[in-house]
Each structure stands twice: as C-alpha cells, then as structure tokens.
C-alpha cells in the first residue's frame, strides 16, 4: 500500500514509500470517505470474491383504459373512434448501484388516439382513411432527487438546482459503485402524428390494395446527464482502489456544468401496392411493392453537430438560435475545426436522405394434391429499419458547443488536486467534447432486412394440425458505433515513451456511426395444435441461430459489449447475436373446468348453482428459453498500459454444476474463470507483467464475442376465468391470473467479467 505523500518506491523489493504494515493510519482517512463508507454494507457471505448478495423489491404498477366507438353513419359510410391510455409506475432498484441504495422510479404515461373512416363506393371498391396520434410522456427520478447529498457530504462544485440534486455517483475499481444513476433525472415526450389512406379493389381473381402513409415524430428531451458529477477511484495513488478511496484521492471526476435541451423532428412517408391473386382454387399468390422515405431527423433549433471525416471538422446545423457560438468556439481555439452546414452544402439534419428504398414482397399458398390436407406456404420480403432517434440525440446534440461536459484528471505531482475536498480544480479542467468527437455517416444507406420463409402444414384429422417450417433473414447496412480514431498502441512506442498516434490527429476518441454491419438468422420451427369441443392447445419448438457483427447500433444490450475491440478489424466482431437463444419451446392451452351442466362433475346443477360453478375456463402458457449469448470481458482495463477489453481464452469457459456448492452464478462463478487470462499490463516503461501462457501486452485478447450461454429461463402462467351474462347485452368477466406459478428464479446474464474479483 503506497503512501502518495512519501518519496521512494513501494514494491516487492522496496518499502520506502509504503504505509507501515500496509495500513492507512486513521488520521489520514478522508472524513468524506468515512461518510461514504456507511453506504457499504458488511459482507453477508464467506466467499472472499463474492462476499455480498442482496435482493430488492421491484414495484411495477400499471393501469390501462380503452375507449372505442364504432358508428355506422349510413349504408355506405362508417366511422370508428378509439382512445387508449396507459399509466405505469415502475421501479429499477439496481439502476445506480448493485447496492440498491438509490433506485430509479419512473412514471410512464402513454396515450393513443385514432379515427378510421370507411367509404363504400361499391361492393368491390372500398377506401379507408385513418388519422391518429400517440404520445409517450416519461419522467424518471432517483430516490434522493431534491436532496443535495453532495452538500451533506461536504463535496463542493456540484449542482444546486433542486431538479437535478440527488446522490452523485462514486465508482471504485473492482468494487460496487455508490450513488444514483448518472443519467437521472430523465424527462422525455414523444408525440407521433399519423395519417394514411388505403384502397381495396376486388376484381375478378384479384384483391388489390394500395395506399400511402405519412408520419411526423416530435421527440423532446433535456440533457441532464451527470449534472451531479461522477467521482472515479482507481489504484494509481496507493496501488489499491480502496486505498485511493480512503484517502479521498481520485483518478478523475466528470460533470455536466451546463445542460441543454433537445427537440428532434422527423418525417417518414411510404406508399404501397399489393395484389392477392388467386391463380386457381388451390394456389394464391401475394405480390407487392412498398416504397419508403425516412427523412433524417433534425433539431428544431439547429443544436446539432456531426464530425465529418471528409472535412475533419464538426459541422453544426445552424447558428441562428445560438448567438454565443463564436465565443464558445474561440474559447477553445477551434475556429478551423468547426463549420456550418450551409457553408459546406449539408442539410440542417447534417445527414443526407437515402431516396432508393424499394421493398418488394412475394408470397404464395398452395394446397397440394394430397387429399387437399396439406398446404405449402412461402414468402420473401424486404423491410427497412429507419432512424433511431435517441442514439442520434445523445451523440450529435448533447456535446460541444451546446452543453458543457467537463473532465478533471489527476496530476501525479500534485496530490491536492482532484480529491474529495477539491474535486473540480479549474487548472485540471478539460471540456470533453472539445477533445473528443461524435460522428454519423453523412450519407448512410438505409438498413434493411430480407426475410424469407417456407412452411408445410398438414391436417392430421380430429382437429389436429402439424406445421413444420423454415424462417430466415439477412440484415444489410446495419448500424454500429465504434471509435474511428482508435490509437495505434504498441509495446515499442510505450517503452520509448512516445505518444500513440491516431488516424485523425488533434482529437482523442471519435465515436462514429457507420452502416456496414450485417446479420444472418436461420431457424427451424415445428408446431402442433389441436382444437376440440371447448378446448385448445398448441405446442411450439424453434431451433435457431443468429449471427452478426453488431446487435444494436450502440452495442449496449444485455450480454453484449459496446464499440469494437479493434476498430481496424470490425469483421473480428462477428459472432452470435446478443439476443441469440438456440432453443425456444412454448405451450398454450385452454380447456373448460369439468364442473356444471354437461360436464363430468355436478352435471345436474341448475339455476344459480350452475351460474356459480359452471362455465369456468382454465388456460395457461409455458415457456422455455435456452441461455442468451454473452461476451466474456476483462474488468477495469487500462488500454494505455497494454491491457485489452477482452481476455485471452484458454479453454471452453463452460462451468459444470458443482454438487453441494450452491447456485451457479451466485455461490460460485457462472463460467470457468481459469479458462481466461487477462492481457498483461505494463506497470512501468521497463516492467511488464509476465504471462504464464506467453501472451504479451498491447495485443488484443483472442476471446471472441458472445461465446458463452447465459442462464436458461422457464415460466409457467395460469389463468382461471368465467364470463357472466346478464339480461340484454351486458357481460362481466372474472379473471384470476398467476404468473410464474412455480416461483422459478430466472436470472439475467452474468456480468461477463473474467477478473476473479469482479466476476459473478
């Protein structure tokens, strides 16, 4: 345990700068650290690696209301009006920390309104006109919102805004974080306006449909992220993260000193033609073509910026509503790195639209000659993806110059800076977005999915049918985000004390969205169903595999990892999709309870007794999922010292169940930690950790993406219901439902960290 105020070394060979007995004197422990220690619970498990387990209650309550009126104006005109409202109150107990000390509460209100008008021109020609809107209003807050925890602890420099105050976030290397989620509070409103027209014309053996639709989306959300600040403790002061924490000496702090607000607007349009052509009684063809135009979203007030490789500049949408822009740019001497969209021929959206989006559709249904009890169906279609608003908002509309996001890094020669007493010293301040960048391909092709299927269905008699099929898809031009400016890190440059060069000098990380990823999905499916007198059941099984090189545009999905380990070899990211589950089995049933008239028990009852015990229906569902794919990673790596995001793989990594050892993933690691070795690091220019298997620093780990399976999931749900009929057209339904009746614990994917102190 090194004393950062002492001179000399502290290692296995010298103890000149070590704390005596590797113990920090009580007088040196920072008083704010003592207050924060109170939020760390005592261990409740004997395992030194996973010594604490905690459960928390997740309260989720929602109410849904539906209003619908169908009115026939006359013999040729009808009108439908519908409105639905859903109010949900949800809890995320572990949102900020696995200690569950500051859960996040959300109030999610959703409204849906629509009007349909149908005009019968003739028995064979029917137009339909539709219009409507939907609105999602979500407000999230952490448990301490409105309470200035930083002020109570004695930490200066954080926000005093009552809307933004709460519990700051404290991260400690290899230990659980303390505090609330940095992104809180969240307030967003999404309003979607829609209008469409569809015509249906029956002509001989053709049923033709054509029409068009238009949609306008308004997405409003303020950027409040990290207003309370994030305080990061590593191990560079004392050689131990808890030592740094006790002394109150941080590696870095970050905060959003000035927030911004985003108002996105987007318009999409489409038109289609479809023909169901009955070639003969046993064969029907479905032929169609759809055209889609997804105009890129724009910020209402021009507060958007896109780093464009063509100019090696940040292109800003507009300066009309940003009078302080020249001052902000001059403050950081960035006049030659910033340009306006109108000056370089870019639209205000900063992204050029893709106008070539034609989607053909083809399908058929053929009743074969085998006694007309077998049907062969197939289809092919193209479906476009459109734009995802929130990733674009976060990347292009929340950084410099619209908000002030600051980073304060430690100075090894001055231990009084970046401490709990002085977390935001001005002389260590850098504005993150002036040294980093965010880019989005300015001419992106629209991503699309080709979907194809072939099924054969056989009537087995007595209400039973068997269906066997194949389903596949191929995604093209899918989006992904990665650091396009990743440094060229080598051991030789490190040992020579030379900076690591970047493809685009003058900037550090450039998180860039490109659209060259693809996906491939194949599945075999089998289904058996039967419908009889009052009962029904269906059994389904699917064997599938999904492969891609990026499962989400940001890479942040359960089991997945963000970005790319090697930005210059994106194909090395190809592997199982984050959501890939090899086996899926489901069952659905509904059957009458054998009580009451014409049933096996109490068949003679009449009157009110029949009304009480007869007519009940029992239904249920059962689901089995095999484990979701996940990626093994290394915890808390420092790539500038030679480490890698992923470890080196030595074995399969599959952990067998250990009899008597408890629950896998709870009482002992979910996967075999010894099958992975962290890429070694260099503690000094001439001192690098030895690898027992001959691996070297500054090399990418060879462990692939999504190589292991997470826990399986099993659910059984039951429902008991009865319809009570009264005079006239009045009905009342009683329903009693039980979810996960076996009370089986279904776990999420493990963290994937292969470091023993962090694995779970």
């Amino acid at each position: 345990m090194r004393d950062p105020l002492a001179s000399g070394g502290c290692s296995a060979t010298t103890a000149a700068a070590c704390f005596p007995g590797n113990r920090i004197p009580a007088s040196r422990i920072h008083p704010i650290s003592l207050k924060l220690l109170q939020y760390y619970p005592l261990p409740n498990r004997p395992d030194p690696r996973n010594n604490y387990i905690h459960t928390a209650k997740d309260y989720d309550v929602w109410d849904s209301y539906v209003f619908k009126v169908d009115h026939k104006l006359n013999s040729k005109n009808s009108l439908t009006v519908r409105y639905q409202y859903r109010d949900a109150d949800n809890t995320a107990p572990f949102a900020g920390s696995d200690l569950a000390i500051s859960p996040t509460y959300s109030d999610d209100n959703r409204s849906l309104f629509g009007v349909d008008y149908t005009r019968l021109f003739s028995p064979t020609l029917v137009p339909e006109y539709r219009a409507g809107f939907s609105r999602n209003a979500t407000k999230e807050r952490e448990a301490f919102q409105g309470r200035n925890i930083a002020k109570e602890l004695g930490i200066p420099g954080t926000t005093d805004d009552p809307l933004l105050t709460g519990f700051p976030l404290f991260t400690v290397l290899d230990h659980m974080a303390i505090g609330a989620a940095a992104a809180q509070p969240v307030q967003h409103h999404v309003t979607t306006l829609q209008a469409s027209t569809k015509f249906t014309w029956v002509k001989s053996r053709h049923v033709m449909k054509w029409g068009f639709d238009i949609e306008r989306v308004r997405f409003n959300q303020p950027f409040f992220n990290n207003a309370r600040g994030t305080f990061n403790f590593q191990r560079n002061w004392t050689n131990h993260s808890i030592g740094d924490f006790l002394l109150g000496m941080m590696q870095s702090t970050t905060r959003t000193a000035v927030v911004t607000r985003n108002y996105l607007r987007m318009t999409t349009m489409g038109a289609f033609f479809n023909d169901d052509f009955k070639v003969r009684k046993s064969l029907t063809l479905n032929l169609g073509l759809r055209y889609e135009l997804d105009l890129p979203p724009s910020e209402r007030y021009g507060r958007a910026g896109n780093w464009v490789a063509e100019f090696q500049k940040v292109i800003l949408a507009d300066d009309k509503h940003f009078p302080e822009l020249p001052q902000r740019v001059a403050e950081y001497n960035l006049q030659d790195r910033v340009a306006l969209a109108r000056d370089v021929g870019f639209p205000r959206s900063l992204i050029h639209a893709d106008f070539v989006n034609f989607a053909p559709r083809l399908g058929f249904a053929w009743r074969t000659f085998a006694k007309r009890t077998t049907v062969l169906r197939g289809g092919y279609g193209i479906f476009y993806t459109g734009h995802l608003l929130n990733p674009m908002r976060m990347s292009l509309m929340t950084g410099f110059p619209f908000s002030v996001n600051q980073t304060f890094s430690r100075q090894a020669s001055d231990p009084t800076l970046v401490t709990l007493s002085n977390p935001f010293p001005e002389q260590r301040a850098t504005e993150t977005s002036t040294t980093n960048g965010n880019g989005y391909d300015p001419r992106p092709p629209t991503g699309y999915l080709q979907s194809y299927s072939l099924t054969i269905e056989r009537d087995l008699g007595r209400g039973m049918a068997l269906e066997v099929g194949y389903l596949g898809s191929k995604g093209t031009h899918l989006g992904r985000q990665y650091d396009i400016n990743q440094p060229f890190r080598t051991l030789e440059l490190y040992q020579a004390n030379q900076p690591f060069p970047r493809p685009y000098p003058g900037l550090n990380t450039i998180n860039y969205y490109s659209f060259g990823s693809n996906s491939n999905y194949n599945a075999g499916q089998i289904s058996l169903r039967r419908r009889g007198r009052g009962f029904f059941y269906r059994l389904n099984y699917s064997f599938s595999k999904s492969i891609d090189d990026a499962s989400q545009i940001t890479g942040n999905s359960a089991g997945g990892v963000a970005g790319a380990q090697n930005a210059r070899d994106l194909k090395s990211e190809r592997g199982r999709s984050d959501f890939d589950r090899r086996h899926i089995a489901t069952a659905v049933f509904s059957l009458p309870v054998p009580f009451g008239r014409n049933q096996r028990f109490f068949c003679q009852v009449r009157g009110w007794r029949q009304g009480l015990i007869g007519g009940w229906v029992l239904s249920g569902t059962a689901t089995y999922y095999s484990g979701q794919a996940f990626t093994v990673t290394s915890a808390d790596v420092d790539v500038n010292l030679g480490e890698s995001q992923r470890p080196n793989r030595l074995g399969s990594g599959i952990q067998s169940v250990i009899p008597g050892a408890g629950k896998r993933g709870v009482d002992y690691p979910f996967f075999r930690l010894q099958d992975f070795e962290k890429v070694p690091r260099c503690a000094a220019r001439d001192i690098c950790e030895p690898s027992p298997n001959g691996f070297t620093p500054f090399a990418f780990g060879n462990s692939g993406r999504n190589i292991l399976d997470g826990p399986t999931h099993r659910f059984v749900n039951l429902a008991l219901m009865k319809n009570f009929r009264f005079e006239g057209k009045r009905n009342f339904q009683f329903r009693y439902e039980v979810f996960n009746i076996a009370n089986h614990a279904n776990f999420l994917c493990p963290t994937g960290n292969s470091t023993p102190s962090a694995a779970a």
Side-chain angles (χ1 to χ4, degrees):
M1 184 77 71
R2 183 178 181 275
D3 183 352
L5 303 183
S7 57
C10 179
S11 64
T13 58
T14 178
C18 295
F19 281 108
N22 281 329
R23 297 175 66 90
I24 299 176
S27 60
R28 294 280 300 277
I29 297 178
H30 200 287
I32 296 178
S33 300
L34 286 175
K35 295 178 182 178
L36 288 171
L37 275 176
Q38 299 175 12
Y39 292 97
Y40 271 124
L42 293 175
N44 59 12
R45 296 170 57 83
D47 187 343
R49 295 174 302 183
N50 299 303
N51 61 7
Y52 181 73
I53 189 170
H54 179 67
T55 59
K57 294 182 178 180
D58 181 356
Y59 294 99
D60 297 324
V61 180
W62 61 269
D63 298 289
S64 184
Y65 308 91
V66 179
F67 171 82
K68 184 179 179 181
V69 174
D70 295 313
H71 181 57
K72 191 168 185 177
L73 303 175
N74 52 46
S75 60
K76 293 187 176 182
N77 298 276
S78 61
L79 184 70
T80 297
V81 179
R82 60 189 181 279
Y83 177 74
Q84 182 174 352
Y85 176 78
R86 185 180 188 273
D87 175 56
D89 296 316
N90 302 317
T91 305
F94 298 100
S97 167
D98 288 339
L99 298 172
I101 59 177
S102 183
T104 292
Y105 305 107
S106 66
D107 183 11
D108 185 35
N109 299 316
R110 306 193 176 198
S111 301
L112 180 66
F113 174 79
V115 177
D116 298 352
Y117 170 67
T118 302
R119 165 75 175 177
L120 185 64
F121 284 160
S122 72
T124 60
L125 180 60
V126 180
E128 299 175 60
Y129 307 95
R130 295 183 176 182
F133 82 88
S134 64
R135 180 173 173 83
N136 297 349
T138 301
K139 293 184 178 180
E140 297 180 6
R141 63 179 180 86
E142 54 100 356
F144 292 88
Q145 182 177 349
R147 179 178 167 186
N148 198 333
I149 298 297
K151 186 175 182 180
E152 295 177 13
L153 293 170
I155 299 176
T158 63
T159 181
D160 292 322
D161 187 335
L163 176 64
L164 305 179
T165 54
F167 210 132
L169 182 62
F170 301 86
T171 68
V172 184
L173 184 67
D174 292 337
H175 294 77
M176 292 183 182
I178 301 174
Q184 296 300 321
V186 172
Q187 300 177 354
H188 69 77
H189 299 79
V190 181
T191 303
T192 303
L193 306 174
Q194 298 172 318
S196 66
T197 298
K198 182 179 74 172
F199 291 84
T200 302
W201 185 28
V202 180
K203 181 69 173 177
S204 183
R205 292 181 294 170
H206 298 267
V207 178
M208 290 171 283
K209 298 179 181 180
W210 67 91
F212 68 89
D213 54 79
I214 185 170
E215 180 178 281
R216 178 71 169 174
V217 179
R218 299 185 297 185
F219 176 21
N220 303 334
Q221 181 171 351
F223 178 73
F224 293 151
N225 293 35
N226 207 28
R228 296 178 300 277
T230 298
F231 304 79
N232 305 303
F233 294 93
Q234 294 193 6
R235 56 191 175 197
N236 292 323
W237 288 110
T238 64
N239 298 329
H240 198 290
S241 57
I242 289 295
D244 288 14
F245 172 75
L246 292 175
L247 295 178
M249 303 172 69
M250 289 170 287
Q251 175 70 15
S252 65
T253 58
T254 60
R255 69 176 178 182
T256 298
V258 178
V259 301
T260 187
R261 295 176 181 271
N262 310 128
Y263 301 88
L264 279 75
R265 303 293 184 263
M266 183 177 71
T267 301
T268 62
M269 292 171 278
F272 74 95
F273 177 83
N274 189 83
D275 181 16
D276 289 330
F277 175 34
K278 199 171 187 65
V279 181
R280 52 178 181 264
K281 290 183 178 181
S282 61
L283 177 62
T284 301
L285 296 181
N286 177 271
L287 307 172
L289 179 67
R290 178 174 175 83
Y291 173 76
E292 294 187 7
L293 176 59
D294 296 306
L295 296 176
S298 60
E299 213 281 338
R300 181 180 182 183
Y301 300 105
R303 291 192 289 252
N306 186 14
W307 183 88
V308 179
E310 176 185 354
F311 307 107
Q312 295 192 33
K313 292 181 179 182
V314 175
I315 309 302
L316 301 180
D318 202 350
D319 60 351
K320 182 179 179 180
H321 299 281
F322 197 23
E324 64 270 25
L325 176 62
Q327 177 184 350
R328 289 278 287 143
V329 172
E331 181 181 358
Y332 294 96
N333 195 28
L334 296 175
Q335 293 90 334
D336 62 339
R337 290 185 175 272
V338 175
L340 295 176
R342 61 175 178 265
D343 295 332
V344 297
F346 270 39
R348 285 185 79 253
S349 63
L350 303 177
I351 299 166
H352 297 271
D354 181 3
F355 292 95
V356 186
N357 300 319
F358 292 95
R361 316 280 170 86
L362 170 66
F364 72 90
W366 176 43
R367 189 177 295 276
T368 64
F369 302 108
K371 297 183 180 180
R372 304 291 185 180
T373 59
T374 302
V375 179
L376 186 66
R377 296 184 178 92
Y380 170 85
I382 292 180
F383 305 89
Y384 286 92
T385 61
H387 298 283
L388 293 178
L389 295 183
N390 200 51
M392 299 181 70
R393 180 188 75 89
M394 290 295 296
S395 296
L396 306 184
M397 304 173 190
T398 60
F400 178 87
F402 315 109
S403 65
V404 178
N405 306 298
Q406 296 177 312
T407 297
F408 304 81
S409 300
R410 80 178 187 116
Q411 183 173 324
S413 60
D414 191 346
T416 65
L417 301 177
V418 195
T419 66
L420 288 175
S421 300
N422 186 21
F424 307 111
E426 286 300 322
Q427 61 268 45
R428 300 301 300 163
T430 59
E431 190 162 341
T432 309
S433 298
T434 62
T435 57
N436 297 326
N438 290 287
Y440 195 101
D441 187 345
R443 294 176 177 83
T446 305
Y448 64 90
L449 185 77
Q450 300 177 75
S451 180
Y452 30 87
S453 64
L454 181 66
T455 62
I456 183 169
E457 183 177 351
R458 175 79 172 181
D459 186 353
L460 304 178
R462 300 184 65 183
M464 185 178 296
L466 177 67
E467 184 177 334
V468 179
Y470 162 79
L471 176 66
S473 66
K474 182 182 184 300
T476 305
H477 295 313
L478 305 181
R480 72 161 310 130
Q481 185 187 44
Y482 66 100
D483 180 10
I484 198 175
N485 207 28
Q486 185 181 44
F488 295 90
R489 299 184 179 94
T490 67
L491 179 60
E492 291 75 19
L493 288 172
Y494 175 78
Q495 291 179 333
N497 199 20
Q498 296 293 316
F500 299 130
R502 292 179 180 268
Y504 302 99
L507 285 175
N508 295 327
T509 299
I510 302 176
N511 287 316
Y512 191 80
Y513 289 96
S514 68
F515 294 85
S517 297
N518 61 75
S519 67
N520 190 277
Y521 172 80
N522 293 280
Q525 300 175 335
I526 185 169
S527 175
L528 177 67
R529 68 179 185 272
R530 185 181 181 189
R531 184 179 297 276
R533 185 175 180 182
F535 74 90
F536 167 80
Y537 68 80
R538 185 180 185 117
L539 306 175
N540 307 293
Y541 171 73
S542 174
F543 177 74
S544 64
K545 187 173 185 178
S546 180
I547 299 174
D548 58 35
D549 45 23
S551 295
Q552 292 194 20
I553 193 167
T554 60
N556 296 321
S557 56
V561 292
Q565 180 177 234
N566 184 357
R568 286 171 283 277
D569 184 15
L570 297 180
K571 292 301 181 183
S572 66
E573 296 295 307
R574 192 162 183 80
R576 293 171 58 197
S577 302
D578 296 348
F579 50 82
D580 180 59
R581 296 181 185 272
R582 194 60 49 85
H583 305 278
I584 299 177
T586 62
V588 181
F589 76 91
S590 175
L591 55 87
V593 178
F595 294 157
R597 189 187 313 166
N598 299 324
Q599 297 295 331
R600 183 174 181 181
F601 302 103
F602 306 109
C603 57
Q604 303 300 324
V605 297
R606 296 290 186 274
W608 66 267
R609 294 180 178 85
Q610 166 63 21
L612 180 64
I613 68 172
W616 290 90
V617 176
L618 178 67
S619 63
T621 62
T623 305
Y624 169 83
Y625 297 139
S626 60
Q628 180 181 344
F630 72 93
T631 302
V632 177
T633 59
S634 296
D636 305 307
V637 301
D638 190 335
V639 292
N640 291 316
L641 296 180
E643 296 176 319
S644 177
Q645 181 187 32
R646 296 180 201 159
N648 289 302
R649 190 180 187 185
L650 308 176
S652 69
I654 299 175
Q655 176 73 277
S656 301
V657 175
I658 303 176
K663 178 69 176 179
R664 177 184 170 208
V666 177
D667 300 289
Y668 59 94
F670 188 83
F671 57 94
R672 284 173 57 87
L673 302 181
Q674 59 269 37
D675 284 355
F676 300 90
E677 181 191 328
K678 190 174 184 179
V679 173
R681 73 197 300 260
C682 295
R685 303 290 172 182
D686 57 348
I687 302 176
C688 295
E689 296 175 349
S691 166
N693 294 287
F695 298 111
T696 60
F698 296 97
F700 295 110
N702 63 25
S703 184
R705 175 174 164 263
N706 288 333
I707 57 174
L708 297 180
D709 290 337
T712 60
H713 283 195
R714 298 192 295 272
F715 302 93
V716 176
N717 307 317
L718 293 178
L720 183 65
M721 67 190 77
K722 176 178 170 59
N723 290 315
F724 294 88
R725 291 182 173 83
F726 300 95
E727 294 182 359
K729 298 181 179 180
R730 292 176 296 173
N731 290 287
F732 172 78
Q733 184 182 79
F734 174 86
R735 178 189 293 262
Y736 182 75
E737 296 178 297
V738 181
F739 298 95
N740 193 15
I741 192 170
N743 199 27
H744 175 74
N746 293 291
F747 290 90
L748 301 177
C749 277
T751 60
N753 289 328
S754 61
T755 306
S757 59

